[in-house]
């Protein structure tokens, strides 16, 4: 129906059920062993939280994670289940960066930033390496890659990996309509914020402005940006349920949404879509099924 | 919490979203090319239907599939989408075997039986070969394998494969409480029917009695049988949603249900659970999430 060949990278099946484990694990594995006895700190709306908590657990060190009080319950529960201490804050009135940095300093913890860190970006880039390798095994020649974007670490890492491994693939950032800061910034050639009073069900994609390091990479390597509506994201979740038998969270499904909503034209192309995470509460998933579950 | 190591074989990610493609493809690939010009026929509650339809499409031959009128809409739609002609019948008053055999004879089609066929059993057995290979790669020493059972083709094929590849693994059949014909038959040492007026949400597991060929294999090789309730199956679907990010249909989830409901004790063991399919309508999946989606 879409007229193109679609390859799906299912990061809901990754450890901690999102790509975030990749960058967190790489960053923590590179901490000087004499430093990291006190552990790590991080701030995150949820997926980086789980990634850092699980990666710290793998390395046998403590983790303190600063999370918004309105994060999905599943993400908070899972972060605690990986053994981390969770500190909640108010997304509207407090700065997660300030709280995270204060805690890291007070307790002598290594701060694991969510995207503006070369070791985190390199870790996320392993997804791009796998994508290129898996496409080769399928004898698929990728024309375009659609990647959900918040701070831009995943897409930057993937673009760096694909620049070498799959140079003819055009890499696109996909964002919610309301959190279009990377799309605006790519168009303007400088870092801009999204519109005021933004709101979206894509809880994982709500960074106000691209990262400094990530944008310097993305401005050079990305082919462009695409945005989708919340309804498009819900329809993508229902599509993944029906046709792939995968649980995809709203922010994780924006790349697929861009195809289904025809915001990105894949006719005659081979397009790799990164479904970047699957941590969604049952109520919201049920809403996606109620509204779009019976569409073929 | 369960106290054992659980390995999940996710057949919802298989072609046609259940293991049935394996046996259908193997059987059709072994039809004498001079015979199969007219195509194949099959009767099925839904997953074998899709498997045969897709395997026939791969071989470029027509398929006629006899399906119950009350099969999940998704299974009927998908079977047609794989290019098959679907003939509906009434599960309560008509015999699918009789209709399937009549159509096969009238139109000179090769009948692809759902389980009582050595080539179908061999095809399903590829799941057992993969399970053994994947366990070796994880350095996991499997103590037990739980397999959803209807006619018994999948578990027979797996038991044959594992007898050679993984001889110390004990293979168990898992059925809905109401469709316990294989469990009863294994206990009695001869083929018995399930109780009268059986009813279950596990639409894929409603064969009245074990197959002749499959039971001869299963009576020799299986370690036993376990049954679960419909509520156990719904809870397993919600668990797969939450912890594996996989869509599992009720019949596909009975093995996982046996663990969660403590019908099978996995403490201190490495247990491989076959989640045999993911073809479930949105409404029933939503019900599983409503009822069990918020349990940790």
């Amino acid at each position: 129906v879409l007229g193109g060949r679609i390859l799906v990278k299912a990061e809901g099946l990754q450890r901690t059920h999102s790509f975030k484990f990749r960058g967190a694990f790489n960053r923590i594995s590179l901490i000087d062993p004499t430093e990291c006895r006190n552990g790590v700190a991080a701030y995150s709306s949820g997926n980086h939280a789980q990634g850092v908590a699980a990666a710290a657990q793998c390395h046998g060190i403590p983790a303190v994670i600063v999370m918004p009080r309105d994060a999905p319950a599943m993400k908070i529960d899972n972060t605690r289940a990986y053994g981390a201490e969770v500190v909640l804050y108010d997304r509207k009135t407090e700065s997660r960066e300030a709280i995270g940095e204060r805690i890291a300093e007070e307790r002598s913890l290594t701060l694991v930033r969510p995207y503006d860190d070369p070791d985190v970006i390199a870790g996320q880039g392993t997804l791009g390496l796998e994508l290129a390798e898996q496409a080769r095994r399928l004898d698929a020649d990728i024309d375009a890659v659609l990647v959900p974007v918040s701070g831009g670490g995943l897409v930057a890492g993937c673009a760096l990996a694909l620049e070498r491994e799959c140079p003819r693939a055009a890499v696109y950032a996909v964002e919610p309509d309301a959190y279009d800061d990377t799309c605006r910034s790519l168009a303007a050639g400088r870092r801009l914020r999204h519109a005021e009073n933004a709101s979206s069900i894509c809880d994982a994609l709500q960074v106000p402005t691209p990262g400094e390091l990530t944008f310097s990479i993305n401005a050079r390597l990305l082919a462009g940006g695409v945005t989708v509506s919340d309804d498009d994201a819900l329809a993508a979740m229902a599509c993944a349920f029906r046709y792939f038998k995968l649980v995809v969270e709203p922010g994780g499904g924006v790349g697929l949404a861009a195809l289904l909503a025809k915001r990105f034209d894949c006719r005659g192309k081979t397009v790799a879509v990164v479904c970047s995470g699957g941590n969604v509460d049952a109520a919201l998933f049920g809403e996606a099924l109620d509204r779009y579950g019976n569409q073929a």
Side-chain angles (χ1 to χ4, degrees), chain A:
Chain A
V1 188
L2 293 172
R5 182 178 188 187
I6 312 300
L7 308 175
V8 173
K9 185 70 178 155
E11 285 291 283
L13 305 180
Q14 176 61 262
R15 252 182 220 231
T16 74
H17 308 303
S18 88
F19 71 95
K20 288 286 194 180
F21 181 79
R22 298 172 181 271
F25 187 91
N26 192 49
R27 175 70 182 85
I28 292 175
S29 72
L30 294 169
I31 296 174
D32 185 322
T34 61
E35 275 187 89
C36 75
R37 277 164 314 184
N38 289 323
V40 293
Y43 43 83
S44 162
S45 59
N47 280 332
H48 181 59
Q50 294 170 79
V52 172
Q57 195 175 50
C58 289
H59 285 85
I61 61 174
V64 182
I65 315 283
V66 180
M67 299 182 74
R69 214 175 293 279
D70 63 347
M74 180 187 289
K75 292 184 175 178
I76 297 174
D77 292 349
N78 288 353
T79 303
R80 290 192 172 121
Y82 294 121
E85 176 188 340
V86 172
V87 177
L88 297 174
Y89 77 100
D90 183 333
R91 205 196 282 259
K92 302 254 186 292
T93 62
E94 298 177 278
S95 156
R96 62 181 199 168
E97 289 83 357
I99 301 172
E101 279 166 24
R102 180 171 51 72
I103 289 175
E105 196 179 310
E106 279 172 11
R107 307 205 202 170
S108 301
L109 304 173
T110 302
L111 188 64
V112 179
R113 290 177 200 281
Y115 46 87
D116 242 354
D117 178 310
D119 298 330
V120 171
I121 293 171
Q124 319 303 28
T126 59
L127 189 152
L129 297 177
E130 287 176 18
L131 198 58
E133 170 61 26
Q134 290 170 333
R136 269 193 292 273
R137 266 189 265 147
L138 292 171
D139 219 3
D141 203 3
I142 298 176
D143 296 297
V145 183
L146 302 183
V147 186
V149 165
S150 186
L154 175 61
V155 76
C158 286
L160 286 167
L162 294 167
E163 183 186 23
R164 197 177 64 182
E165 298 293 325
C166 207
R168 59 178 290 283
V171 181
Y172 292 85
V174 188
E175 295 182 303
D177 286 335
Y179 286 86
D180 61 347
D181 48 284
T182 291
C183 288
R184 285 171 181 234
S185 303
L186 289 171
R190 64 197 173 85
R191 292 163 66 216
L192 295 177
R193 290 177 61 89
H194 59 71
E196 288 298 312
N197 299 317
S199 153
S200 169
I201 58 168
C202 300
D203 59 278
L205 306 182
Q206 306 200 344
V207 162
T209 186
E212 205 173 323
L213 177 56
T214 54
F215 187 69
S216 72
I217 297 165
N218 292 332
R220 181 170 69 83
L221 293 180
L222 299 199
V226 184
T227 68
V228 299
S229 71
D230 279 2
D231 280 350
D232 296 337
L234 288 175
M237 292 161 70
C239 170
F241 162 81
R242 175 163 187 155
Y243 293 105
F244 311 144
K245 310 302 173 188
L246 295 172
V247 177
V248 175
E249 64 180 278
V254 295
L256 182 59
L259 290 180
L260 297 173
K262 315 246 162 112
R263 301 273 188 116
F264 185 86
D265 184 358
C266 66
R267 282 174 296 174
K269 293 181 183 156
T270 296
V271 180
V273 179
V274 178
C275 287
S276 53
N279 291 308
V280 54
D281 283 343
L284 184 57
F285 197 80
E287 191 186 325
L289 294 189
D290 278 348
R291 291 187 45 200
Y292 297 101
N294 291 314
Q295 294 185 4

